[in-house]
Amino acid sequence: AQSVTQLGSHVSVSEGALVLLRCNYSSSVPPYLFWYVQYPNQGLQLLLKYTSAATLVKGINGFEAEFKKSETSFHLTKPSAHMSDAAEYFCAYNAGNMLTFGGGTRLMVKP
Amino acid sequence: KAGVTQTPRYLIKTRGQQVTLSCSPISGHRSVSWYQQTPGQGLQFLFEYFSETQRNKGNFPGRFSGRQFSNSRSEMNVSTLELGDSALYLCASTDLGAEQYFGPGTRLTVT
């Protein structure tokens, strides 16, 4: 069965610092992978998706993620954190229209 | 296009009651999926409907059910509510692509 693991349930960075949120997946077939962001009391907003067209995927709000098959990873990065990036981030794997989510990483941004 | 809408946004019910939640997908989207989000279990897939037929089902008891109408709107029903059913219920819609677009969710509290 496919699974998604997010390393670090909480990540804290200073404003302007690099953001790195880690995601590893396990799958025997090429995956569709996604990053979603959730702000308090809201639903999930799609940040970016990997569908095998390119290994480096650019998303909204300056985020990007790199698919590395050899490492089974799909880490999310942003060069410079902004206070408005504080939220919970979820990595997800799509298998047959069913999303399997990682446990989530809460990003805190310090001024 | 308007996004995914869910009603109601908040709901308080008593143990043993039943509840019905509603979801209207993005116009033109024919697939609707439901997810439960709790602090303990995270985001879990409930079921997916496409053209009024349930295509996929997650590992939830039979108290959880759903349906989809000819206009793609979907409802989910939970009967004989338990305290553990307190959660954020998220609906997502998709067209032919792999990405799913989420609504704001319905926060259900069972007392």
Side-chain angles (χ1 to χ4, degrees):
Chain A
Q2 296 85 4
S3 67
V4 178
T5 303
Q6 292 183 237
L7 295 176
S9 59
H10 292 79
V11 169
S12 180
V13 300
S14 297
E15 192 173 20
L18 171 72
V19 175
L20 170 61
L21 305 182
R22 300 177 187 274
C23 172
N24 289 87
Y25 69 93
S26 66
S27 171
S28 58
V29 298
Y32 288 127
L33 293 165
F34 306 87
W35 276 99
Y36 285 89
V37 61
Q38 186 176 36
Y39 297 99
N41 299 316
Q42 294 188 26
L44 302 177
Q45 181 182 9
L46 180 65
L47 272 179
L48 49 80
K49 63 180 179 182
Y50 169 76
T51 56
S52 77
T55 56
L56 183 62
V57 181
K58 293 189 185 298
I60 62 172
N61 301 340
F63 284 94
E64 63 182 36
E66 186 173 9
F67 174 74
K68 291 187 177 180
K69 185 177 179 180
S70 60
E71 300 176 8
T72 61
S73 69
F74 189 56
H75 301 333
L76 182 71
T77 60
K78 182 175 180 177
S80 177
H82 192 272
M83 296 296 290
S84 61
D85 295 326
E88 189 152 22
Y89 292 80
F90 293 92
C91 182
Y93 176 104
N94 189 327
N97 255 8
M98 296 180 290
L99 288 177
T100 298
F101 287 92
T105 297
R106 185 167 299 279
L107 176 66
M108 294 167 284
V109 183
K110 299 176 291 186
Chain B
K1 282 185 180 178
V4 177
T5 58
Q6 293 186 245
T7 56
R9 290 293 312 278
Y10 301 91
L11 207 48
I12 300 175
K13 290 286 188 179
T14 304
R15 269 183 304 175
Q17 289 185 316
Q18 74 165 13
V19 67
T20 299
L21 312 181
S22 180
C23 171
S24 292
I26 292 171
S27 177
H29 287 192
R30 294 165 62 189
S31 169
V32 173
S33 298
W34 289 89
Y35 295 83
Q36 181 195 63
Q37 185 178 24
T38 61
Q41 299 299 317
L43 282 154
Q44 294 183 287
F45 171 78
L46 279 157
F47 28 66
E48 183 230 356
Y49 286 86
F50 180 82
S51 292
E52 302 179 63
T53 301
Q54 186 181 88
R55 281 204 301 199
N56 295 293
K57 189 178 191 306
N59 188 26
F60 278 83
R63 300 185 297 106
F64 292 81
S65 62
R67 60 178 175 169
Q68 186 180 35
F69 302 94
S70 58
N71 61 358
S72 294
R73 190 177 70 86
S74 177
E75 290 181 346
M76 68 162 283
N77 184 79
V78 187
S79 62
T80 319
L81 283 166
E82 301 177 358
L83 293 179
D85 297 333
S86 293
L88 181 67
Y89 290 89
L90 293 163
C91 167
S93 75
T94 185
D95 52 12
L96 298 177
E99 63 270 29
Q100 297 187 9
Y101 296 92
F102 284 81
T106 294
R107 171 77 62 186
L108 172 64
T109 302
V110 182
T111 62

